[in-house]
Amino acid sequence: SPDVIVGVAASIELAFVKTERPIIHLSDATFGALLDYYPEFTGLWNWLKKEGHEIEQRIIDSASAVICSSDWAKTSVVNDYCAASDKVHTILLGANLIMYPILSERDIENKFGTKCRLLFIGKDWGRKGGDLAIEVYEKLIDFGVDADLTVIGSKIPPLPPHLRVSFYEHLDKDAGKDLELFNSIFTRATFFILPTNAEAYGLVYAEAAAFGTPVLGAKTGGVPSVVEDNVTGALLPNNASADEYAERIYELWSDKALLRRMSIAARTRFVASLNWNSWASDFSNIIDDLEKANNQKR
């Protein structure tokens, strides 16, 4: 006899549940938004598309509230599945860090010293734009920028010896020396680069904000809800080339005052909304509103 049923990305599990209790449906994307966007949702059979849409429609219709992690997902809930806009909410997800970093003014200054340090984190090398990140790094070297690149979470392909790339295929950011190394790398990083070609949200963008690290990414999916273009980072078109990314980085690298402002803005946004305490507060408010509405019906 629960007060409310909360489903986290549980469309299939809750779509056919019959209950008098209010359901809150949490999701970072709808089936319709993912269709022909993520590789694994591309080229599906027509019968599978039909079933996917039916399940998504059922859970959205039966939910008393739908909570999305981005405006991109929220727009799909309202436009693709005709949900009433007043029951659909956006709450930004928090950074998945076991301890939130403490940043000093010196840390921020050190980010933008003599060396331009790029950081890439992602397991799905292809979708996350790993090859493009390597190209961007190589272009920066060609521009005469003293730069290096660190890759975490992926095994990189063979590279020319003149490219200084450090990589850590497996790094446990929750404990011990791996945690210390992760924090050190992110604290020193000048830019976090993740030119993903499909992304529902990207928790690692929130982690970049926690470390005050400006982001270079693509204006796609839910990313613009996490990264404020020209405020906490720079978002380029989804089809932007390595030259375009490198030129944007070069422009920013040439304006250290702007980079410091971006760093401070990123950290400020993390403190304000890209953390789990903020998420919990907004989530609690939605539950309170549902409880009040149910009491009025009684």
Side-chain angles (χ1 to χ4, degrees), residues 164-243:
R164 299 193 299 267
V165 179
S166 303
F167 79 95
Y168 305 88
E169 188 174 355
H170 303 290
L171 201 60
D172 182 1
K173 65 180 182 181
D174 292 336
K177 291 185 177 180
D178 277 6
L179 172 60
E180 292 178 17
L181 179 59
F182 179 86
N183 287 345
S184 174
I185 291 171
F186 231 141
T187 299
R188 293 184 297 112
T190 308
F191 295 104
F192 176 70
I193 180 168
L194 194 71
T196 179
N197 51 53
E199 196 70 52
Y201 187 78
L203 283 169
V204 71
Y205 294 118
E207 293 170 9
F211 286 94
T213 306
V215 167
L216 266 295
K219 193 177 292 184
T220 186
V223 178
S225 287
V226 196
V227 182
E228 293 181 278
D229 189 22
N230 294 318
V231 178
T232 64
L235 297 181
L236 282 73
N238 206 20
N239 60 351
S241 66
D243 280 320

Coordinates of all heavy atoms in Angstrom, one line a residue, residues 164-243:
R164 N 50.8 12.9 -27.7 CA 51.0 12.6 -26.3 C 49.6 12.3 -25.7 O 48.9 13.2 -25.2 CB 51.6 13.7 -25.5 CG 53.0 14.0 -26.0 CD 53.7 14.9 -25.0 NE 53.1 16.2 -24.8 CZ 53.3 17.3 -25.5 NH1 54.3 17.3 -26.4 NH2 52.7 18.4 -25.2
V165 N 49.2 11.0 -25.7 CA 47.9 10.6 -25.2 C 48.1 9.6 -24.1 O 48.7 8.6 -24.2 CB 47.0 10.0 -26.3 CG1 45.7 9.5 -25.7 CG2 46.8 10.9 -27.5
S166 N 47.5 10.0 -22.9 CA 47.5 9.1 -21.8 C 46.1 8.4 -21.7 O 45.1 9.1 -21.9 CB 47.8 9.8 -20.5 OG 49.0 10.5 -20.5
F167 N 46.1 7.1 -21.5 CA 44.8 6.5 -21.4 C 44.7 5.5 -20.3 O 45.6 4.8 -19.9 CB 44.4 5.9 -22.7 CG 45.0 4.5 -23.0 CD1 44.3 3.4 -22.7 CD2 46.2 4.4 -23.6 CE1 44.8 2.1 -23.0 CE2 46.8 3.2 -23.9 CZ 46.1 2.0 -23.6
Y168 N 43.5 5.5 -19.7 CA 43.2 4.6 -18.6 C 41.9 3.8 -18.9 O 40.8 4.4 -18.8 CB 43.0 5.3 -17.3 CG 44.2 6.2 -16.9 CD1 44.3 7.5 -17.4 CD2 45.2 5.7 -16.2 CE1 45.4 8.3 -17.1 CE2 46.3 6.5 -15.8 CZ 46.4 7.8 -16.3 OH 47.5 8.6 -16.1
E169 N 42.0 2.6 -19.4 CA 40.8 1.9 -19.9 C 39.9 1.6 -18.7 O 38.7 1.6 -18.9 CB 41.3 0.6 -20.5 CG 40.1 -0.1 -21.2 CD 40.6 -1.4 -22.0 OE1 41.8 -1.6 -22.1 OE2 39.7 -2.1 -22.5
H170 N 40.4 1.3 -17.5 CA 39.6 1.1 -16.4 C 40.1 1.9 -15.2 O 41.3 1.8 -14.8 CB 39.6 -0.4 -16.0 CG 39.2 -1.3 -17.1 ND1 37.9 -1.4 -17.5 CD2 39.9 -2.2 -17.8 CE1 37.8 -2.3 -18.5 NE2 39.1 -2.8 -18.7
L171 N 39.2 2.8 -14.7 CA 39.6 3.7 -13.6 C 38.4 3.7 -12.6 O 37.3 4.2 -13.0 CB 40.0 5.1 -14.1 CG 40.8 5.9 -13.2 CD1 42.2 5.3 -12.9 CD2 41.1 7.3 -13.9
D172 N 38.6 3.2 -11.4 CA 37.5 3.3 -10.4 C 37.5 4.6 -9.7 O 38.4 4.9 -8.9 CB 37.7 2.1 -9.4 CG 36.6 2.0 -8.4 OD1 35.7 2.8 -8.5 OD2 36.7 1.2 -7.5
K173 N 36.5 5.4 -10.1 CA 36.5 6.8 -9.5 C 35.9 6.8 -8.1 O 35.6 7.9 -7.6 CB 35.8 7.7 -10.4 CG 34.3 7.4 -10.6 CD 33.6 8.4 -11.5 CE 32.1 8.1 -11.6 NZ 31.4 9.0 -12.6
D174 N 35.6 5.7 -7.5 CA 34.9 5.6 -6.2 C 35.8 5.2 -5.1 O 35.4 5.3 -3.9 CB 33.7 4.6 -6.3 CG 32.6 5.1 -7.2 OD1 32.5 6.3 -7.4 OD2 31.9 4.3 -7.7
A175 N 37.1 4.9 -5.3 CA 37.9 4.4 -4.2 C 39.4 4.5 -4.5 O 39.8 4.4 -5.7 CB 37.5 3.0 -3.9
G176 N 40.1 4.6 -3.4 CA 41.6 4.5 -3.4 C 42.4 5.4 -4.4 O 42.0 6.5 -4.6
K177 N 43.5 4.8 -4.9 CA 44.3 5.6 -5.7 C 43.7 6.0 -7.1 O 44.0 7.1 -7.6 CB 45.6 4.8 -6.0 CG 46.5 4.7 -4.8 CD 47.8 4.0 -5.1 CE 48.7 3.9 -3.8 NZ 50.0 3.2 -4.1
D178 N 42.8 5.2 -7.6 CA 42.1 5.5 -8.8 C 41.3 6.8 -8.6 O 41.2 7.6 -9.5 CB 41.2 4.4 -9.2 CG 41.9 3.3 -10.0 OD1 43.1 3.4 -10.1 OD2 41.2 2.4 -10.5
L179 N 40.6 6.9 -7.4 CA 39.8 8.1 -7.1 C 40.7 9.3 -7.1 O 40.4 10.4 -7.6 CB 39.1 7.9 -5.8 CG 38.4 9.1 -5.2 CD1 37.3 9.6 -6.2 CD2 37.7 8.8 -3.9
E180 N 41.8 9.2 -6.4 CA 42.8 10.3 -6.3 C 43.3 10.7 -7.7 O 43.3 11.9 -8.0 CB 44.0 9.9 -5.5 CG 43.7 9.7 -4.0 CD 44.9 9.3 -3.2 OE1 46.0 9.5 -3.7 OE2 44.7 8.8 -2.1
L181 N 43.6 9.7 -8.6 CA 44.0 10.0 -9.9 C 42.9 10.7 -10.7 O 43.2 11.7 -11.5 CB 44.5 8.7 -10.6 CG 45.0 8.8 -12.0 CD1 46.2 9.8 -12.1 CD2 45.4 7.5 -12.6
F182 N 41.7 10.1 -10.6 CA 40.6 10.7 -11.4 C 40.4 12.2 -11.0 O 40.2 13.1 -11.9 CB 39.3 9.9 -11.1 CG 38.1 10.4 -11.7 CD1 37.7 10.0 -13.0 CD2 37.2 11.3 -11.1 CE1 36.6 10.5 -13.7 CE2 36.1 11.8 -11.7 CZ 35.7 11.4 -13.0
N183 N 40.4 12.5 -9.7 CA 40.2 13.8 -9.2 C 41.3 14.7 -9.7 O 41.1 15.9 -10.1 CB 40.1 13.9 -7.7 CG 38.8 13.3 -7.2 OD1 37.8 13.1 -7.9 ND2 38.7 13.0 -5.9
S184 N 42.5 14.2 -9.7 CA 43.7 15.0 -10.1 C 43.6 15.4 -11.6 O 43.8 16.5 -12.0 CB 45.0 14.3 -9.8 OG 46.1 14.9 -10.3
I185 N 43.2 14.4 -12.4 CA 43.1 14.6 -13.9 C 42.1 15.6 -14.2 O 42.3 16.5 -15.0 CB 42.9 13.3 -14.6 CG1 44.1 12.3 -14.5 CG2 42.5 13.5 -16.0 CD1 43.8 10.9 -15.0
F186 N 40.9 15.5 -13.5 CA 39.8 16.4 -13.8 C 40.0 17.8 -13.3 O 39.7 18.8 -13.9 CB 38.5 15.8 -13.2 CG 37.3 15.8 -14.2 CD1 36.4 14.7 -14.2 CD2 37.1 16.8 -15.1 CE1 35.4 14.6 -15.1 CE2 36.1 16.7 -16.1 CZ 35.2 15.7 -16.1
T187 N 40.7 17.9 -12.1 CA 41.0 19.2 -11.5 C 41.9 20.0 -12.5 O 41.8 21.2 -12.6 CB 41.6 19.0 -10.2 OG1 40.7 18.4 -9.3 CG2 42.0 20.4 -9.6
R188 N 42.9 19.3 -13.1 CA 43.9 20.0 -13.9 C 43.4 20.2 -15.4 O 44.0 21.0 -16.1 CB 45.2 19.2 -13.9 CG 45.9 19.1 -12.6 CD 47.3 18.4 -12.7 NE 47.1 17.0 -13.0 CZ 47.5 16.5 -14.1 NH1 48.1 17.2 -15.1 NH2 47.4 15.2 -14.4
A189 N 42.3 19.5 -15.8 CA 41.9 19.5 -17.2 C 41.4 20.9 -17.6 O 40.7 21.6 -16.8 CB 40.7 18.5 -17.4
T190 N 41.9 21.4 -18.7 CA 41.5 22.7 -19.3 C 40.1 22.6 -19.9 O 39.3 23.4 -19.7 CB 42.5 23.1 -20.3 OG1 43.8 23.1 -19.8 CG2 42.2 24.5 -20.8
F191 N 39.9 21.5 -20.7 CA 38.7 21.3 -21.4 C 38.3 19.8 -21.2 O 39.1 18.9 -21.3 CB 38.8 21.6 -22.9 CG 39.0 23.0 -23.3 CD1 40.3 23.4 -23.7 CD2 38.1 23.9 -23.2 CE1 40.6 24.7 -24.0 CE2 38.3 25.3 -23.5 CZ 39.6 25.6 -23.9
F192 N 37.0 19.6 -21.0 CA 36.4 18.3 -21.2 C 35.8 18.2 -22.6 O 34.9 18.9 -22.9 CB 35.4 18.0 -20.1 CG 34.7 16.6 -20.3 CD1 35.4 15.5 -20.0 CD2 33.4 16.5 -20.7 CE1 34.9 14.2 -20.3 CE2 32.8 15.3 -20.9 CZ 33.6 14.1 -20.7
I193 N 36.3 17.3 -23.4 CA 35.8 17.2 -24.8 C 35.1 15.8 -24.9 O 35.7 14.8 -24.7 CB 37.0 17.3 -25.8 CG1 36.4 17.2 -27.2 CG2 38.1 16.4 -25.5 CD1 37.4 17.6 -28.3
L194 N 33.8 15.9 -25.4 CA 33.0 14.7 -25.6 C 32.1 15.0 -26.8 O 31.0 15.4 -26.6 CB 32.2 14.3 -24.4 CG 31.6 12.9 -24.5 CD1 32.7 11.8 -24.3 CD2 30.6 12.7 -23.4
P195 N 32.6 14.9 -28.0 CA 31.8 15.3 -29.2 C 30.9 14.2 -29.7 O 30.9 13.7 -30.8 CB 32.9 15.5 -30.3 CG 34.0 14.6 -29.9 CD 34.0 14.5 -28.4
T196 N 30.1 13.7 -28.7 CA 29.2 12.6 -29.0 C 28.2 12.9 -30.1 O 27.7 14.0 -30.2 CB 28.4 12.3 -27.7 OG1 27.5 11.2 -27.9 CG2 27.6 13.4 -27.1
N197 N 27.8 11.9 -30.8 CA 26.8 12.1 -31.9 C 25.4 11.7 -31.5 O 24.5 11.9 -32.3 CB 27.3 11.3 -33.2 CG 27.6 9.9 -32.9 OD1 26.8 9.2 -32.4 ND2 28.8 9.5 -33.4
A198 N 25.3 11.1 -30.3 CA 23.9 10.8 -29.7 C 24.1 10.7 -28.2 O 24.9 10.0 -27.7 CB 23.4 9.5 -30.3
E199 N 23.3 11.5 -27.5 CA 23.4 11.5 -26.1 C 22.1 12.0 -25.4 O 21.6 13.1 -25.7 CB 24.5 12.5 -25.6 CG 24.9 12.3 -24.2 CD 25.7 11.0 -24.0 OE1 26.7 10.8 -24.8 OE2 25.4 10.3 -23.1
A200 N 21.5 11.1 -24.6 CA 20.2 11.5 -23.9 C 20.5 12.5 -22.8 O 19.6 13.4 -22.6 CB 19.6 10.2 -23.3
Y201 N 21.6 12.4 -22.1 CA 21.9 13.4 -21.1 C 23.5 13.6 -21.0 O 24.0 14.6 -21.4 CB 21.4 12.9 -19.8 CG 21.5 13.9 -18.6 CD1 20.7 15.0 -18.6 CD2 22.5 13.8 -17.7 CE1 20.8 15.9 -17.5 CE2 22.6 14.7 -16.6 CZ 21.8 15.8 -16.6 OH 21.9 16.7 -15.6
G202 N 24.1 12.6 -20.4 CA 25.6 12.7 -20.3 C 26.0 13.1 -18.9 O 26.3 14.3 -18.6
L203 N 25.9 12.2 -17.9 CA 26.2 12.5 -16.5 C 27.6 13.1 -16.4 O 27.9 13.9 -15.5 CB 26.1 11.3 -15.6 CG 24.7 10.8 -15.3 CD1 24.7 9.5 -14.6 CD2 24.1 11.8 -14.3
V204 N 28.5 12.7 -17.3 CA 29.9 13.2 -17.2 C 30.0 14.7 -17.4 O 31.0 15.3 -16.9 CB 30.8 12.3 -18.1 CG1 30.6 12.7 -19.6 CG2 32.3 12.5 -17.7
Y205 N 29.1 15.3 -18.1 CA 29.0 16.7 -18.3 C 28.8 17.4 -17.0 O 29.3 18.5 -16.7 CB 28.0 17.1 -19.3 CG 28.2 16.7 -20.7 CD1 27.3 15.8 -21.4 CD2 29.3 17.1 -21.5 CE1 27.5 15.4 -22.7 CE2 29.5 16.7 -22.8 CZ 28.6 15.8 -23.4 OH 28.8 15.4 -24.7
A206 N 27.9 16.8 -16.1 CA 27.7 17.3 -14.8 C 28.9 17.2 -13.9 O 29.3 18.0 -13.1 CB 26.5 16.6 -14.1
E207 N 29.7 16.1 -14.1 CA 30.9 15.9 -13.4 C 32.0 17.0 -13.8 O 32.7 17.5 -13.0 CB 31.5 14.5 -13.6 CG 30.6 13.4 -13.0 CD 31.0 12.0 -13.5 OE1 32.0 11.8 -14.1 OE2 30.2 11.1 -13.2
A208 N 32.0 17.3 -15.1 CA 32.9 18.3 -15.6 C 32.5 19.7 -14.9 O 33.4 20.4 -14.5 CB 32.8 18.5 -17.1
A209 N 31.2 19.9 -14.7 CA 30.8 21.2 -14.0 C 31.3 21.2 -12.6 O 31.7 22.2 -12.1 CB 29.3 21.3 -14.1
A210 N 31.3 20.0 -11.9 CA 31.7 19.9 -10.6 C 33.2 20.3 -10.4 O 33.6 20.9 -9.4 CB 31.5 18.5 -10.0
F211 N 34.0 20.0 -11.4 CA 35.4 20.3 -11.4 C 35.7 21.7 -12.1 O 36.9 22.0 -12.3 CB 36.2 19.2 -12.1 CG 36.3 18.0 -11.3 CD1 35.5 16.9 -11.4 CD2 37.4 17.9 -10.3 CE1 35.6 15.8 -10.7 CE2 37.5 16.7 -9.6 CZ 36.6 15.7 -9.7
G212 N 34.6 22.4 -12.4 CA 34.8 23.7 -13.1 C 35.5 23.6 -14.4 O 36.3 24.5 -14.8
T213 N 35.3 22.5 -15.1 CA 36.0 22.3 -16.4 C 35.1 22.6 -17.6 O 34.0 22.0 -17.8 CB 36.4 20.8 -16.5 OG1 37.2 20.5 -15.4 CG2 37.3 20.6 -17.8
P214 N 35.4 23.6 -18.4 CA 34.6 24.0 -19.6 C 34.5 22.8 -20.5 O 35.4 22.0 -20.7 CB 35.3 25.1 -20.2 CG 36.1 25.7 -19.1 CD 36.5 24.6 -18.2
V215 N 33.3 22.6 -21.1 CA 33.0 21.5 -22.0 C 33.0 21.9 -23.5 O 32.6 23.0 -23.8 CB 31.6 20.9 -21.7 CG1 31.1 20.0 -22.7 CG2 31.6 20.3 -20.3
L216 N 33.6 21.0 -24.3 CA 33.4 21.0 -25.7 C 32.6 19.8 -26.1 O 33.0 18.7 -25.9 CB 34.8 21.0 -26.4 CG 35.5 22.3 -26.8 CD1 34.6 23.1 -27.8 CD2 35.7 23.2 -25.6
G217 N 31.4 20.1 -26.7 CA 30.5 19.0 -27.1 C 29.6 19.3 -28.2 O 29.8 20.4 -28.8
A218 N 28.7 18.4 -28.5 CA 27.8 18.6 -29.6 C 26.4 19.1 -29.1 O 26.0 18.6 -28.0 CB 27.7 17.3 -30.4
K219 N 25.8 19.9 -29.9 CA 24.5 20.4 -29.6 C 23.5 19.3 -30.0 O 22.8 19.5 -31.1 CB 24.2 21.7 -30.3 CG 23.0 22.5 -29.8 CD 22.9 23.8 -30.5 CE 24.0 24.8 -30.0 NZ 23.8 26.1 -30.6
T220 N 23.3 18.3 -29.2 CA 22.5 17.2 -29.6 C 21.8 16.6 -28.4 O 22.3 16.6 -27.3 CB 23.3 16.1 -30.3 OG1 22.5 15.0 -30.8 CG2 24.3 15.4 -29.4
G221 N 20.6 16.0 -28.6 CA 19.9 15.3 -27.5 C 19.7 16.1 -26.3 O 19.3 17.3 -26.4
G222 N 20.0 15.6 -25.1 CA 19.8 16.3 -23.9 C 21.0 17.1 -23.4 O 20.9 17.8 -22.4
V223 N 22.1 17.1 -24.2 CA 23.3 17.9 -23.8 C 23.1 19.3 -23.6 O 23.6 19.9 -22.6 CB 24.4 17.7 -24.9 CG1 25.7 18.4 -24.5 CG2 24.7 16.2 -25.1
P224 N 22.3 20.1 -24.4 CA 22.1 21.5 -24.1 C 21.4 21.8 -22.8 O 21.5 23.0 -22.3 CB 21.2 22.0 -25.3 CG 21.5 21.0 -26.4 CD 21.7 19.7 -25.7
S225 N 20.8 20.8 -22.2 CA 20.2 21.1 -20.8 C 21.3 21.0 -19.8 O 21.1 21.6 -18.7 CB 19.1 20.0 -20.5 OG 17.9 20.2 -21.3
V226 N 22.4 20.3 -20.0 CA 23.4 20.2 -19.0 C 24.5 21.2 -19.2 O 25.0 21.8 -18.3 CB 24.1 18.8 -19.1 CG1 24.9 18.5 -17.9 CG2 23.0 17.7 -19.3
V227 N 24.9 21.5 -20.5 CA 25.9 22.4 -20.8 C 25.3 23.7 -21.4 O 24.6 23.6 -22.4 CB 26.9 21.8 -21.8 CG1 28.1 22.8 -22.1 CG2 27.5 20.5 -21.3
E228 N 25.6 24.8 -20.8 CA 25.1 26.1 -21.4 C 26.1 26.6 -22.4 O 27.2 27.0 -22.0 CB 24.9 27.1 -20.2 CG 23.7 26.8 -19.3 CD 23.6 27.8 -18.2 OE1 24.3 27.8 -17.2 OE2 22.7 28.7 -18.4
D229 N 25.7 26.7 -23.6 CA 26.6 27.1 -24.7 C 27.1 28.5 -24.5 O 26.3 29.4 -24.1 CB 25.8 27.0 -26.0 CG 26.7 27.2 -27.2 OD1 27.9 27.0 -27.1 OD2 26.2 27.6 -28.3
N230 N 28.4 28.7 -24.6 CA 29.1 30.0 -24.4 C 29.0 30.5 -23.0 O 29.4 31.6 -22.7 CB 28.5 31.0 -25.3 CG 28.8 30.7 -26.8 OD1 29.9 30.3 -27.1 ND2 27.8 30.9 -27.7
V231 N 28.5 29.6 -22.0 CA 28.5 30.0 -20.6 C 29.4 29.0 -19.8 O 30.3 29.4 -19.1 CB 27.1 30.1 -20.1 CG1 27.1 30.4 -18.6 CG2 26.2 31.1 -20.8
T232 N 29.0 27.7 -19.9 CA 29.8 26.7 -19.2 C 30.6 25.9 -20.1 O 31.3 24.9 -19.7 CB 28.9 25.8 -18.3 OG1 28.0 25.1 -19.2 CG2 28.0 26.6 -17.4
G233 N 30.5 26.2 -21.4 CA 31.3 25.4 -22.4 C 30.9 25.9 -23.8 O 30.2 26.9 -23.9
A234 N 31.2 25.1 -24.8 CA 30.9 25.4 -26.2 C 30.3 24.2 -26.8 O 30.8 23.1 -26.8 CB 32.1 25.9 -26.9
L235 N 29.1 24.4 -27.4 CA 28.4 23.3 -28.1 C 28.4 23.6 -29.6 O 27.9 24.7 -30.0 CB 27.0 23.1 -27.6 CG 26.8 22.8 -26.1 CD1 25.3 22.6 -25.7 CD2 27.6 21.5 -25.8
L236 N 28.9 22.6 -30.4 CA 28.9 22.8 -31.8 C 27.9 21.9 -32.5 O 27.3 21.0 -31.9 CB 30.3 22.4 -32.3 CG 31.4 23.4 -32.1 CD1 31.9 23.5 -30.7 CD2 32.7 23.1 -33.0
P237 N 27.5 22.2 -33.8 CA 26.6 21.4 -34.5 C 27.0 19.9 -34.5 O 28.2 19.6 -34.4 CB 26.6 22.0 -35.9 CG 27.1 23.4 -35.7 CD 28.0 23.3 -34.6
N238 N 26.0 19.1 -34.5 CA 26.2 17.6 -34.4 C 27.2 17.1 -35.5 O 27.8 16.1 -35.3 CB 24.9 16.9 -34.5 CG 25.0 15.5 -33.8 OD1 25.8 15.3 -32.9 ND2 24.1 14.6 -34.1
N239 N 27.2 17.8 -36.6 CA 28.1 17.4 -37.7 C 29.4 18.2 -37.8 O 30.0 18.2 -38.9 CB 27.3 17.4 -39.1 CG 26.8 18.9 -39.4 OD1 26.9 19.8 -38.5 ND2 26.3 19.1 -40.6
A240 N 29.7 18.9 -36.8 CA 30.9 19.7 -36.8 C 32.2 18.9 -37.0 O 32.3 17.8 -36.5 CB 31.0 20.5 -35.5
S241 N 33.1 19.5 -37.7 CA 34.4 18.8 -38.1 C 35.4 19.0 -37.0 O 35.3 19.8 -36.1 CB 34.9 19.3 -39.4 OG 35.3 20.7 -39.3
A242 N 36.5 18.2 -37.1 CA 37.6 18.4 -36.2 C 38.2 19.8 -36.3 O 38.6 20.4 -35.3 CB 38.7 17.3 -36.5
D243 N 38.2 20.3 -37.5 CA 38.7 21.7 -37.7 C 37.9 22.7 -36.9 O 38.4 23.6 -36.2 CB 38.7 22.1 -39.2 CG 39.9 21.5 -39.9 OD1 41.0 21.5 -39.4 OD2 39.7 21.0 -41.1

